[in-house]
């Protein structure tokens, strides 16, 4: 039975969040292809993962038999997240841009699942797992735009998910999501609508393509 790991990190609720709309479209399309599949949903805004502590960090290089109670508890929390990633046949991540980078809650999740010698290193345990990242942003940071050099979401996630975790990463990028709310961006409303429609279509097509790939 196929398993999808669905991660949202937007502070905005469903119905408002651009990234949640697209990850939900991906999830629905994926379930149409896998009606008996399992979805593990992590809403990092509603239930944040603890930021990495000293005990969680030192525990990874300490013999479990010598863990302090604090190290054991912190490491056990990390293992839950790591095992969710390892069991997933596909992953979809909502990663809105906040202040030019990813939400701190998503960074906390990444810090927990990156474990050298297991999920990271020479033989990453989830290597090759397909990951679709919905990298939404309020403006445009596309190549050739004035804000291109401020794009630290896609660049960062492409590096860490591919290089550290060995995942097979693809992106969907809804842009200008603040156009309906910011008068200064009103002239770009049509571009936002085109970007949103394109992102929703991409979510459905990518989910179906992954389902076909899993069935092959």
């Amino acid at each position: 039975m196929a398993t999808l790991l669905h991660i949202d990190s937007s502070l905005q609720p469903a119905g408002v969040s651009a990234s949640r709309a697209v990850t939900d479209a991906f999830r629905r399309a994926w379930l149409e292809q896998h009606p008996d599949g399992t979805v593990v949903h992590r809403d990092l805004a509603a239930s944040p993962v603890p930021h990495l502590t000293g005990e969680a960090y030192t525990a990874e290089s300490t013999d479990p038999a010598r863990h302090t109670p604090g190290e054991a508890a912190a490491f056990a929390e990390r293992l839950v997240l790591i095992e969710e990633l390892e069991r997933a046949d596909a992953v979809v991540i909502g990663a809105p841009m906040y202040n030019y980078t990813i939400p701190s809650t998503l960074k906390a999740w990444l810090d927990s699942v990156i474990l050298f010698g297991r999920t990271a290193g020479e033989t990453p345990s989830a290597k090759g797992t397909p990951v679709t990242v919905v990298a939404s942003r309020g403006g445009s940071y596309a190549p050739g735009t004035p804000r291109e050099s401020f794009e630290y979401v896609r660049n960062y996630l492409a590096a860490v998910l591919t290089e550290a975790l060995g995942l097979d990463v693809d992106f969907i990028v809804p842009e200008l999501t603040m156009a309906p709310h910011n008068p200064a961006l009103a002239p770009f409303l049509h571009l936002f609508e085109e970007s949103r429609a394109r992102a929703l279509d991409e979510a459905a097509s990518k989910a179906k393509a992954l389902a076909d790939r899993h069935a092959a």
Side-chain angles (χ1 to χ4, degrees), residues 71-94:
E71 287 175 335
F75 196 63
E77 290 182 344
R78 291 185 67 183
L79 287 179
V80 170
L81 303 174
I82 287 169
E83 289 168 2
E84 286 179 351
L85 176 62
E86 291 173 336
R87 288 195 296 264
D89 297 293
V91 182
V92 61
I93 301 174

Side-chain angles (χ1 to χ4, degrees), residues 99-133:
N99 299 318
Y100 306 120
T101 188
I102 63 173
S104 64
T105 52
L106 181 54
K107 180 61 163 60
W109 179 82
L110 286 167
D111 286 341
S112 286
V113 299
I114 296 173
L115 180 60
F116 285 91
R118 181 163 175 172
T119 60
E122 293 185 4
T123 55
S125 56
K127 183 177 181 178
T129 301
V131 178
T132 303
V133 178

